[in-house]
Amino acid sequence: MMGLSSSHRVLPRVVSSGPAPGLPTSLPAASSGKNSSIRSGRIWIKRAPFRSTFHRARDAAPPPGRDTETMAVVINAGRLDFDRKLDFTELKDACGGELTMFDDDSPTPEAIAERASGHSVVVSKEVPVDVNLLPDTVKLICEAGTGYNNIDLAAARARGITVCNVPSYSTDAVAHLVITFVLNFSATIVPQHVALAKGDRSLFTSSLGTTPHFELTGKTIGLVGGTGAIGTKVAEIARVLGMNVLVWSRSARTEPGKWEARASLKDLLAESDFVSVHCPLNDETRGLIDADAIACMKPTAYVINTARGPVIDETDLVNALRAGAVAGAGLDVQEVEPPVDGSPLYELDNVMLTPHVGWKRLETRQRLMDLVADNVAAYKAGAPVNVVN
């Protein structure tokens, strides 16, 4: 494997519908220890050294008997199936009965290219893919998620590779996380918990002092680029809680009973008690929430980001948090994930930091994999869906 010594090779899982070479007996799915909920009667899981399962991109053809049109590889399944609870039946079937999965989290572009060798379908999750390194067998890249800024779409188009994503698998989960941040800020859950963790029980015997503690009824949440599925769900829940909902985007329009649109981002920021980011990351949105934007906000307001980290200028936000220019931030995404050692985000008392967990609930991940299977099946049927290039 490129760039890896033999002692650090990652072993693939090959899940197929028939016996794998070298395995003398079949294993019932219920006793295999993996994918026990797979609905087919039996599955085969082969673990083998890298070179015995894959050929290098320079090879002229896949191993004998293997049809590249039905071969797929999940190049970093460890990021998706970290608890070994996902059922890959739908994806396996969509790929013609065989699916290869690598159990690590963040392979290098060179490793991705070698893993893709001999496969027509590559499934990736939030890892940079160098399209120009991929072998000629690759015809489809399925990004297992909504964002696809990890793939050079122009390069893929130039090579005749279709790229698709899964735009709406995590709507409820991410919206619930936004509201979780809102509820925690309003009820000072984190400061109370931090105090207890430090052995400080004074909040039980005295008042909360100047710690913000307030009802949500009548408060305003502003959704930046929030006219999509997640923003719409956040708006729905927020209104149930008695909140006012504002939205700003190029296409936003006021919809009675749903939200009020604001013509400028500055107007939305100035009026909001909570600002929740929902726009994709691109050249126009990178650093959208910078020092100038933050200066428009109330000092009592909170910033929430469950979209993409670089939409917020992290240095400007940290400076504002330290200066008390804003009350706090709930960040499920960061400019660099994970934040580098020594990042002030780890230390600031007014920051709730989570490791990009919005999409990681079990039901959400299972839905994601089933929708990836739908993408593959649609492509093989000649009618690709969710194409982004």
Side-chain angles (χ1 to χ4, degrees), residues 21-365:
L23 291 183
T25 59
S26 62
L27 297 175
S31 63
S32 67
K34 174 74 182 86
N35 288 336
S36 59
S37 61
I38 286 182
R39 291 183 290 279
S40 58
R42 295 176 185 275
I43 62 170
W44 293 89
I45 301 175
K46 180 175 70 174
R47 292 184 179 275
F50 182 86
R51 290 290 295 146
S52 69
T53 303
F54 294 95
H55 58 97
R56 295 185 184 274
R58 64 174 178 268
D59 294 344
R66 300 183 75 182
D67 178 7
T68 60
E69 291 304 314
T70 61
M71 291 167 59
V73 57
V74 184
I75 50 99
N76 60 332
R79 186 179 290 269
L80 293 156
D81 194 25
F82 49 83
D83 54 1
R84 294 297 186 94
K85 291 184 178 180
L86 294 185
D87 178 350
F88 287 91
T89 302
E90 298 293 335
L91 182 56
K92 174 178 68 68
D93 291 346
C95 296
E98 182 172 280
L99 176 66
T100 304
M101 299 185 294
F102 285 83
D103 284 330
D104 59 340
D105 185 89
S106 300
T108 66
E110 292 78 14
I112 291 171
E114 187 146 353
R115 293 172 187 190
S117 182
H119 294 76
S120 62
V121 179
V122 170
V123 179
S124 59
K125 178 61 177 175
E126 296 174 352
V127 62
V129 177
D130 189 333
V131 174
N132 293 315
L133 293 180
L134 295 178
D136 292 337
T137 54
V138 175
K139 303 301 180 185
L140 175 66
I141 301 174
C142 284
E143 176 62 21
T146 302
Y148 44 85
N149 54 292
N150 55 315
I151 301 168
D152 186 333
L153 300 185
R157 190 183 308 113
R159 294 197 58 191
I161 298 173
T162 299
V163 181
C164 60
N165 72 335
V166 183
S168 58
Y169 74 99
S170 62
T171 299
D172 286 354
V174 177
H176 293 169
L177 181 59
V178 172
I179 298 300
T180 297
F181 281 132
V182 170
L183 290 168
N184 272 278
F185 281 128
S186 71
T188 62
I189 298 298
V190 171
Q192 293 180 58
H193 178 74
V194 169
L196 281 176
K198 294 178 178 179
D200 180 359
R201 303 176 184 177
S202 61
L203 294 176
F204 286 83
T205 57
S206 61
S207 70
L208 290 172
T210 60
T211 303
H213 199 76
F214 52 89
E215 294 183 355
L216 292 174
T217 304
K219 297 297 186 294
T220 297
I221 184 169
L223 309 178
V224 178
T227 57
I230 295 173
T232 298
K233 179 60 71 171
V234 171
E236 177 185 326
I237 301 171
R239 288 183 64 83
V240 170
L241 295 174
M243 301 183 73
N244 304 312
V245 181
L246 304 179
V247 65
W248 171 83
S249 75
R250 289 180 298 179
S251 60
R253 298 290 184 272
T254 293
E255 298 185 34
K258 187 175 181 179
W259 54 45
E260 293 183 17
R262 289 295 178 263
S264 73
L265 175 59
K266 289 184 177 182
D267 287 344
L268 178 139
L269 297 174
E271 296 180 52
S272 299
D273 299 298
F274 296 89
V275 173
S276 185
V277 176
H278 295 280
C279 49
L281 178 62
N282 53 46
D283 290 341
E284 293 182 1
T285 63
R286 186 178 298 274
L288 179 67
I289 307 299
D290 59 8
D292 290 339
I294 294 170
C296 298
M297 296 174 60
K298 303 175 183 179
T300 56
Y302 297 85
V303 180
I304 296 169
N305 191 4
T306 57
R308 286 293 182 266
V311 174
I312 296 178
D313 186 307
E314 204 163 273
T315 299
D316 289 351
L317 177 61
V318 166
N319 290 338
L321 289 164
R322 283 173 166 164
V326 289
L331 306 174
D332 189 45
V333 291
Q334 302 86 38
E335 278 190 346
V336 177
E337 296 179 10
V340 298
D341 290 344
S343 169
L345 294 178
Y346 289 126
E347 307 296 334
L348 288 169
D349 291 338
N350 51 353
V351 172
M352 280 194 279
L353 197 65
T354 51
H356 206 156
V357 298
W359 63 274
K360 290 182 179 177
R361 303 173 202 240
L362 176 59
E363 300 89 345
T364 312
R365 288 180 288 123

